[in-house]
Amino acid sequence: MSEFTNPDIGLDSTTPTGGFNFENVHRNALIESQLQKASSTSKNNITPLATKTGTTIVGLVYKNGIVLGADTRSTNDTTVADKNCEKIHYIAPNIYCCGAGTAADTEKTTELISSQMELLRMNTGDGQSRVVTACTMLKRMLFRYQGYVSAALVLGGCDVNGPHLYQIYPHGSTGKLPFTTMGSGSLAAMAVFEEGFKDDLEEEEAVELVKRAILAGIFNDLGSGSNCDTTVIRLDGTVVHGRNCIMPNEVKPLRDSVKRSDVLNMRKGTTAVLKSTFKPRKSGFGVTLADVTVTPMET
């Protein structure tokens, strides 16, 4: 008989000061069962679900560098909050990062790590930043907050050790991969990558593959949409930004093609003016410079 079945073995009245704590396991199971029963009997009681954030971000390693890609739709629940936001963030001159999740979390997280990377470069002789250093800083910060900072990242860059691509989850786990996708449209984008990726891609082939992957997310995921952004980071240190390189949902040509009927245009004089009066301002009213009192500022 073990201590799990014999109540007389292993009794300790003191609360453990360390280790794992499972005191809420039975409570959580009870709450979940009650919510499921309530949701089956009443439409007003629904089991809470995780919030879905819409984005498609991708990255891949090609022959001479890294290509990152992202869509430009920002959503607030079921509402499109921004049609042309930027999801590819600056970390260092040779490192960029795509962000999915809460917009404020991704922007401020990348800004903070970018500042720390710059200070590190200044303290170490102003040399080139290492991609693994940025990855370590990001994963340590996200792990510290246990997933409450909703930032799912695709980190890419080139340094003296070659091109590097990392995926970073909000809880701090990371993986180094030749190609990766994240966000709600990641499954559609991954299907394109698994079909078209191969080792030692040329730059043009890599950029086109990234564009196809982002378009797959735009057209097959409701949380992703609008335009396609790309960033190419080369081994020689140059960076090429493709802001709005593809605009599949541009509405201006469609609006220009629509011929508005001239009947709907209201010409001058359509509404008759029955009466018009003009009353000049009476003297003594209003504010002039003489009415302003100037108080010197204390120094």
Side-chain angles (χ1 to χ4, degrees):
M1 184 177 291
S2 67
E3 63 272 15
F4 296 106
T5 57
N6 189 349
D8 297 329
I9 299 178
L11 289 178
D12 189 0
S13 59
T14 61
T15 303
T17 58
F20 294 101
N21 189 348
F22 299 99
E23 62 182 8
N24 291 329
V25 171
H26 297 293
R27 183 207 67 171
N28 296 340
L30 179 62
I31 293 175
E32 185 176 2
S33 62
Q34 290 177 348
L35 285 172
Q36 290 177 352
K37 291 179 181 178
S39 61
S40 62
T41 57
S42 175
K43 295 182 179 180
N44 297 327
N45 297 321
I46 303 175
T47 305
L49 302 174
T51 302
K52 179 181 177 182
T53 56
T55 284
T56 302
I57 54 174
V58 304
L60 65 79
V61 181
Y62 76 98
K63 186 176 181 181
N64 295 315
I66 297 286
V67 182
L68 301 175
D71 71 305
T72 62
R73 172 177 290 181
S74 174
T75 57
N76 180 13
D77 194 22
T78 57
T79 304
V80 178
D82 190 350
K83 295 181 180 179
N84 198 24
C85 67
E86 294 188 45
K87 300 182 183 180
I88 304 179
H89 308 283
Y90 170 88
I91 299 292
N94 59 316
I95 306 171
Y96 283 80
C97 182
C98 301
T102 304
D105 289 345
T106 58
E107 288 187 8
K108 292 305 174 183
T109 297
T110 51
E111 282 180 12
L112 177 63
I113 300 304
S114 175
S115 175
Q116 293 180 3
M117 292 291 290
E118 185 171 1
L119 291 174
L120 182 61
R121 288 196 302 273
M122 295 170 66
N123 289 329
T124 55
D126 207 16
Q128 189 184 57
S129 297
R130 303 292 189 268
V131 184
V132 68
T133 305
C135 178
T136 303
M137 288 183 175
L138 286 167
K139 68 196 289 187
R140 285 179 178 175
M141 175 187 173
L142 294 175
F143 178 76
R144 189 182 306 122
Y145 289 95
Q146 293 291 296
Y148 286 100
V149 175
S150 178
L153 308 173
V154 173
L155 179 71
C158 298
D159 54 28
V160 294
N161 298 315
H164 306 276
L165 183 69
Y166 294 92
Q167 64 173 6
I168 307 173
Y169 286 92
H171 291 83
S173 60
T174 61
K176 185 177 182 181
L177 301 167
F179 61 92
T180 185
T181 65
M182 296 197 81
S184 58
S186 59
L187 294 180
M190 181 58 74
V192 175
F193 272 177
E194 290 184 343
E195 184 272 333
F197 180 82
K198 60 183 180 180
D199 294 332
D200 296 329
L201 282 169
E202 297 294 336
E203 182 175 318
E204 293 183 1
E205 295 176 322
V207 172
E208 288 302 318
L209 184 59
V210 166
K211 291 179 181 179
R212 284 176 50 208
I214 296 298
L215 290 177
I218 288 174
F219 289 117
N220 296 284
D221 173 49
L222 295 179
S224 307
S226 295
N227 308 320
C228 174
D229 290 347
T230 60
T231 295
V232 180
I233 309 170
R234 302 192 182 105
L235 286 173
D236 59 5
T238 58
V239 178
V240 178
H241 299 285
R243 175 65 171 160
N244 294 338
C245 58
I246 297 181
M247 304 176 70
N249 298 307
E250 182 63 28
V251 296
K252 189 177 185 303
L254 178 62
R255 289 176 177 173
D256 293 340
S257 64
V258 176
K259 302 300 181 182
R260 181 181 174 90
S261 175
D262 191 59
V263 178
L264 301 176
N265 295 327
M266 299 297 177
R267 297 178 179 82
K268 185 176 180 180
T270 302
T271 303
V273 179
L274 301 180
K275 185 179 180 181
S276 178
T277 59
F278 173 74
K279 293 183 180 181
R281 183 180 64 87
K282 296 181 179 179
S283 59
F285 290 92
V287 180
T288 62
L289 291 177
D291 301 320
V292 178
T293 303
V294 179
T295 304
M297 185 176 61
E298 296 181 0
T299 57

